[in-house]
Amino acid sequence: MYTTLSDSHGMMSDEETFEYFLDCDMSKYVYEQTHKKNPARFPTYKVIQKMKAICSPPLDSIEKTATKIQVRIQSLMQHTVERIVKSLKHEINQYMDENNQDFVEMVLLSSWGMDGSTGYSQYHQSFPGTNQQDDSDVFSVTTTPIHLYLLSNRKHIFWYNLTPQSIRYCRPIMLEFVKESKQVVIDCKNTIKRELSELVPVKIDLEQEKYVLVDFDFVMSKVDGIEDSKGSVLEEKTAYTEKAL
């Protein structure tokens, strides 16, 4: 009876399938068993693989070495905002029709920060071109989209992140096998800020020659305090100020 009722709904779309896979925190094995029980409702695991690729930034924007992996922020933010706008096509088109506009300018506000973590299992793997043998420390830089609002009216919010602490919205920028230190934090902060300052707006085409132009704004909301030689603390925590409210 359960199978008959499930079959009556037809095959799930790719987006519905991926949402189901994530919501249930499924492994590949569990999903494949679900597919075998009800193949008329659940597509093959190839759909999950395809959606994972769609939800990731382009591979050519990712740089990797034996100790570090990093994505170009311009590509990451373009991919992020394209996914958000895609989910808002109906609302955006409705707004344009009501205001007799062919394009609309928006701003995506995001938070970003860096942190180090320790205590990982050490496998003593060799790293080409370096004498480093310790893979127990990982330093990360991440960003999280907060909300997408109209450039001409900050209070007109098209999309709002209701769970900014969820790992689903955390977008990794860089992961590196290195122990967190004052110099690592300063160098990383300067590098990321320089790359953020070079971001350019993204144009996203819609139907009927309409388009959305999205610029980016960032709030640095997470960085550990690092004591310098004089005992003072290097700390820059904005934690959503007026920009994010």
Side-chain angles (χ1 to χ4, degrees):
M1 182 183 295
Y2 173 78
T3 302
T4 302
L5 290 174
S6 299
D7 290 348
S8 65
H9 295 289
M11 183 74 73
M12 288 198 297
S13 67
D14 293 355
E15 289 78 10
E16 290 174 335
T17 303
F18 195 49
E19 180 182 3
Y20 177 79
F21 178 81
L22 292 175
D23 285 342
C24 296
D25 195 21
M26 288 177 139
S27 64
K28 177 181 178 181
Y29 174 79
V30 172
Y31 181 82
E32 287 179 337
Q33 294 304 309
T34 305
H35 163 69
K36 289 180 180 179
K37 292 291 185 181
N38 193 353
R41 178 64 172 157
F42 298 95
T44 64
Y45 188 77
K46 289 182 179 180
V47 168
I48 304 297
Q49 294 174 318
K50 183 182 75 173
M51 290 303 300
K52 284 183 177 182
I54 291 175
C55 294
S56 301
L59 290 178
D60 59 5
S61 67
I62 301 174
E63 303 170 358
K64 51 187 179 295
T65 66
T67 60
K68 180 179 179 180
I69 184 167
Q70 183 171 359
V71 60
R72 290 193 293 274
I73 300 179
Q74 179 71 52
S75 297
L76 177 66
M77 298 313 299
Q78 178 171 341
H79 178 266
T80 299
V81 76
E82 284 176 349
R83 295 285 296 167
I84 294 175
V85 170
K86 180 181 178 181
S87 69
L88 298 170
K89 278 188 176 181
H90 176 73
E91 292 84 349
I92 295 174
N93 280 316
Q94 184 177 4
Y95 173 83
M96 289 184 180
D97 292 339
E98 291 175 353
N99 293 274
N100 194 26
Q101 294 179 338
D102 293 328
F103 75 97
V104 62
E105 294 179 282
M106 302 182 186
V107 178
L108 177 64
L109 175 67
S110 304
S111 67
W112 77 277
M114 56 191 117
D115 194 15
S117 54
T118 61
Y120 294 97
S121 299
Q122 297 185 52
Y123 297 97
H124 303 290
Q125 62 186 34
S126 61
F127 297 101
T130 176
N131 294 323
Q132 179 182 353
Q133 295 291 328
D134 187 2
D135 52 359
S136 63
D137 299 302
V138 176
F139 187 75
S140 64
V141 182
T142 60
T143 181
T144 301
I146 302 302
H147 61 233
L148 180 69
Y149 62 88
L150 194 65
L151 178 62
S152 59
N153 182 5
R154 182 183 295 269
K155 293 183 179 181
H156 191 140
I157 298 175
F158 284 91
W159 176 84
Y160 189 82
N161 185 349
L162 297 176
T163 55
Q165 300 301 319
S166 171
I167 59 173
R168 289 195 187 180
Y169 290 97
C170 180
R171 313 287 282 173
I173 296 174
M174 187 267 288
L175 296 171
E176 182 177 8
F177 286 130
V178 65
K179 186 174 180 60
E180 183 180 19
S181 65
K182 174 188 174 183
Q183 194 57 49
V184 168
V185 170
I186 292 176
D187 291 344
C188 182
K189 174 185 169 184
N190 292 337
T191 299
I192 297 299
K193 280 198 168 184
R194 182 172 61 253
E195 194 169 349
L196 293 179
S197 67
E198 296 172 352
L199 288 177
V200 297
V202 172
K203 180 183 177 182
I204 304 172
D205 294 321
L206 302 176
E207 297 86 359
Q208 299 177 351
E209 297 184 353
K210 296 179 181 179
Y211 66 91
V212 178
L213 192 63
V214 183
D215 203 353
F216 303 100
D217 194 10
F218 289 85
V219 175
M220 187 178 182
S221 62
K222 181 179 180 181
V223 61
D224 284 345
I226 305 294
E227 293 189 3
D228 61 18
S229 58
K230 297 181 180 180
S232 62
V233 176
L234 171 69
E235 192 170 345
E236 186 174 337
K237 291 186 178 179
T238 10
Y240 304 142
T241 63
E242 292 184 356
K243 285 184 179 181
L245 296 177

